[in-house]
Amino acid sequence: MTGKLAVITGTSRGLGRNAALKLAAQGVDIIGTYLSKASEAQAVAEEIERLGVRALMLPLDVGDSSGFADFAERLRAALPERFGRQDIDFLVNNAGTGQTTSFAETSEALFDLMMNMHLKGPFFLTQALLPLIVDGGRILNVSSGLTRFTLPGYSAYAVMKGGIEVLTRYQARELGARGISVNVLAPGAIETDFGGGAVRDNAELNAFVAANTAKGRVGQPDDIGLAVAALLSEGGRWITGQRIEASGGMFL
């Protein structure tokens, strides 16, 4: 994939960082976004550049759509200056966080936070960046295994991810005329700091997940980064409108 350029939201840590590194290892230049941790994002950029490709980190709050037009303009200005081109090949809508709250105790404020970050944000950010995506490009939306199986405490989060999966099919249909493929990747439980790092740090929860996963272990960030790279590779060019779950066979 040498010579390609990907925009990945939420690259300062977790799955976004891992996906950026896996794509960079395949020769893809990376534009990443971060919410507040500029130093961490810059450290990731330096890791990427040590792999022999170019990297740029830009601030972006995916939960605030009022900033998307400005972000698109900053991106448009940076492309020729930093990368010598006017467009991007890949957009990975990854950024987000989770909150563990029962349905009965979910506040309207929390619901709105999840909606703005995980559904409204990717919807309108993709819309804002669409003119910059090359014909024949790829969009990859990140969902969750929680849209297929249920675990108490994730109702608001999972509802938004379910919406992203429906949106993916509509995007694939409407953008197909431009040759743009749109798919959704649904990770299972992964050992990151997502949701306060519970899967990684809570031994009982970790063991529960492993016992209910066909592969017999909890997912690692590399499992998802490699899946992202595979879906965006040439081998994925005829795949569109699909939900691909990367959970190791969780709750089969």
Side-chain angles (χ1 to χ4, degrees):
M1 290 193 283
T2 301
K4 301 292 188 181
L5 174 59
V7 171
I8 306 174
T9 63
T11 50
S12 63
R13 60 187 178 85
L15 300 184
R17 171 185 173 276
N18 195 279
L21 292 170
K22 292 298 182 292
L23 286 170
Q26 296 190 12
V28 178
D29 292 330
I30 302 294
I31 297 174
T33 77
Y34 63 93
L35 177 59
S36 60
K37 299 180 179 179
S39 60
E40 290 186 14
Q42 186 54 39
V44 175
E46 292 169 3
E47 283 187 83
I48 291 168
E49 290 177 341
R50 284 196 290 271
L51 294 171
V53 299
R54 293 168 290 188
L56 176 67
M57 296 291 162
L58 297 173
L60 174 68
D61 182 354
V62 297
D64 182 5
S65 59
S66 68
F68 292 171
D70 177 66
F71 175 78
E73 285 308 308
R74 285 186 288 124
L75 181 58
R76 189 187 302 273
L79 284 169
E81 177 182 330
R82 185 74 179 87
F83 300 95
R85 54 185 295 177
Q86 307 288 334
D87 46 28
I88 65 174
D89 299 287
F90 309 134
L91 171 61
V92 181
N93 286 307
N94 162 78
T97 188
Q99 298 282 343
T100 307
T101 306
S102 71
F103 166 75
E105 296 176 341
T106 296
S107 67
E108 189 170 347
L110 177 56
F111 183 94
D112 288 346
L113 174 66
M114 292 292 102
M115 179 179 67
N116 290 336
M117 185 181 300
H118 293 290
L119 184 56
K120 183 178 179 180
F123 188 109
F124 288 104
L125 180 63
T126 302
Q127 189 183 85
L129 300 186
L130 201 54
L132 299 176
I133 300 175
V134 298
D135 289 354
R138 314 275 184 86
I139 298 168
L140 185 62
N141 297 318
V142 177
S143 178
S144 171
L146 290 163
T147 62
R148 178 178 63 82
F149 52 79
T150 59
L151 288 174
Y154 291 99
S155 60
Y157 170 81
V159 163
M160 307 314 161
K161 291 302 191 182
I164 280 293
E165 295 186 5
V166 173
L167 173 63
T168 295
R169 296 197 298 274
Y170 275 85
Q171 290 173 327
R173 182 66 182 270
E174 295 189 20
L175 303 180
R178 289 183 51 193
I180 295 174
S181 297
V182 190
N183 292 293
V184 61
L185 179 65
I190 310 294
E191 289 187 353
T192 68
D193 60 2
F194 180 84
V199 172
R200 180 193 60 203
D201 301 332
N202 184 320
E204 184 177 351
L205 176 59
N206 192 290
F208 170 78
V209 170
N212 286 282
T213 299
K215 293 281 191 176
R217 65 171 175 84
V218 172
Q220 300 296 320
D222 278 357
D223 296 322
I224 305 305
L226 289 168
V228 170
L231 287 169
L232 297 181
S233 72
E234 188 65 13
R237 68 181 185 179
W238 199 235
I239 301 171
T240 194
Q242 302 303 305
R243 177 190 188 272
I244 296 93
E245 183 172 307
S247 70
M250 191 171 172
F251 293 125
L252 292 179

